[in-house]
Amino acid sequence: MATEDGGAVPAGAGRAARAGVATLPARRPVASWVAEQALETLIRLSGVSAIIFVLAIFFFIFREAAPVLFSPGFHLSEFLFSTQWYPTSESHVRYGTLALTAGTLSVTGVAIVLAVPFGLGAAVFVSEFCGPRLKESLKIVIELLAAIPSVVWGFIGLTVMSRITIALTGAPVGVNLLNGGVILALMSVPIIVSIGEDALKAVPDSYREAALAMGANRWQTVHRVLVPAARNGLLAAVLLGVGRAVGETMAVLMATGHAVHVPHSLLDSVRTLTANIAAELGEAAAGSDHYRVLFLTGTLLFAITFVVNLGADLAIRGVRRR
């Protein structure tokens, strides 16, 4: 039997083909199989390594905090629910972190209230309403804002925003909750804009074309089509902004006044958990109760971050079910 190009086909192969017998594929080289298995193992280890690193960080922090946590003179309820923070008192040492926790949550709340609408709005503008030149210019500016060190933002809050706050609100002190919230919002906006813009651009163009074909204008397309389609990515952008606000140290240390009390207004000075650790860890004697309580404060901050991430993950899953 001959092929189309004139070549000859073995008689046995022709009979096997006519009988419908499938020919066995050629064996893969051993080196190719070994390389594939090694690559799969490396990818699995890379994925598991993130979990290992998080657990290792938690273990290191908790190991330093465990001696004071299980000591007879330490009370966890006082640590969590007392507003008295006097770690160096000679007569009555108190380690209450409620005011610090309230300061952290309040500054983060103000920052997110300001950053989320501006960040998501800017992401929509950059993604859907900008021309090519303006888009590239804005993306460069946003990346530059994200690259500014936190200590520089702290200087801005201490020297510039504090004066603006006093001029606009009449507050006696410019370094307060409002000042710190504004600075954290400015630090969180670039992250929300970048991730949000990527999420909107990931929506297929067929969605936009279908909306325009049905007579929707740009705003209706954004509101009814793009935002619902990109909601998972937008929630992830907000989550990253919250994480930046919760974990920030130097900016809030310099811009919030560093006063230990529960805030009752936006013009009160506050102290956050991160700023407290940064300010006192260098002065605490290694191995002392004060030193270990600061590590326990880090464990509390770790738990707060975990709860925020868990809540965001549950929210995203709820949105996906809809």
Side-chain angles (χ1 to χ4, degrees):
M1 184 175 62
T3 60
E4 293 181 359
D5 57 356
V9 177
R15 287 194 299 270
R18 286 193 298 270
V21 179
T23 58
L24 295 175
R27 284 190 173 183
R28 294 176 56 189
V30 177
S32 175
W33 181 84
V34 171
E36 181 179 346
Q37 295 299 317
L39 182 60
E40 290 182 0
T41 303
L42 180 61
I43 292 174
R44 289 193 180 96
L45 290 177
S46 299
V48 175
S49 64
I51 302 175
I52 295 175
F53 290 154
V54 171
L55 293 177
I57 292 171
F58 180 79
F59 172 77
F60 168 74
I61 297 175
F62 188 77
R63 183 190 64 181
E64 296 294 331
V68 72
L69 179 62
F70 297 108
S71 63
F74 181 82
H75 302 285
L76 184 61
S77 60
E78 180 182 356
F79 174 77
L80 294 175
F81 303 112
S82 174
T83 59
Q84 303 297 317
W85 178 263
Y86 297 104
T88 58
S89 175
E90 296 182 358
S91 59
H92 187 193
V93 175
R94 283 154 287 178
Y95 301 114
T97 60
L98 181 60
L100 306 178
T101 305
T104 300
L105 298 179
S106 59
V107 173
T108 302
V110 172
I112 294 305
V113 167
L114 296 176
V116 169
F118 282 103
L120 295 182
V124 170
F125 178 75
V126 171
S127 175
E128 304 301 324
F129 295 94
C130 274
R133 291 185 178 180
L134 181 58
K135 178 183 292 188
E136 293 301 322
S137 301
L138 287 178
K139 292 181 73 172
I140 292 174
V141 172
I142 291 169
E143 291 174 359
L144 289 176
L145 287 175
I148 297 177
S150 60
V151 67
V152 176
W153 283 115
F155 276 122
I156 294 173
L158 184 64
T159 59
V160 179
M161 285 302 303
S162 61
R163 297 176 183 176
I164 296 176
T165 302
I166 292 174
L168 293 179
T169 63
V173 180
V175 283
N176 49 35
L177 172 60
L178 179 61
N179 187 14
V182 171
I183 293 298
L184 281 186
L186 293 174
M187 298 175 68
S188 301
V189 161
I191 299 175
I192 297 176
V193 174
S194 298
I195 306 300
E197 195 261 342
D198 291 339
L200 291 170
K201 294 303 292 184
V203 177
D205 290 335
S206 58
Y207 285 38
R208 299 174 177 85
E209 295 169 358
L212 294 175
M214 295 181 66
N217 57 32
R218 279 190 174 185
W219 288 109
Q220 291 172 334
T221 302
V222 170
H223 175 63
R224 297 183 177 273
V225 178
L226 298 182
V227 172
R231 56 179 175 258
N232 292 338
L234 297 178
L235 284 174
V238 173
L239 172 61
L240 290 175
V242 173
R244 176 67 188 272
V246 171
E248 183 52 45
T249 303
M250 291 305 301
V252 294
L253 176 63
M254 301 171 67
T256 56
H258 209 58
V260 183
H261 65 83
V262 178
H264 298 287
S265 72
L266 292 176
L267 303 181
D268 288 343
S269 297
V270 295
R271 183 187 298 190
T272 64
L273 293 168
T274 53
N276 188 64
I277 295 172
E280 298 187 5
L281 187 60
E283 301 177 358
S288 64
D289 289 345
H290 184 196
Y291 176 84
R292 299 194 183 280
V293 166
L294 291 176
F295 274 92
L296 186 60
T297 305
T299 306
L300 175 61
L301 183 63
F302 193 96
I304 293 174
T305 306
F306 175 78
V307 170
V308 170
N309 285 311
L310 179 61
D313 183 67
L314 293 177
I316 292 175
R317 291 185 181 182
V319 170
R320 286 177 179 174
R321 292 192 187 99
R322 297 178 185 177

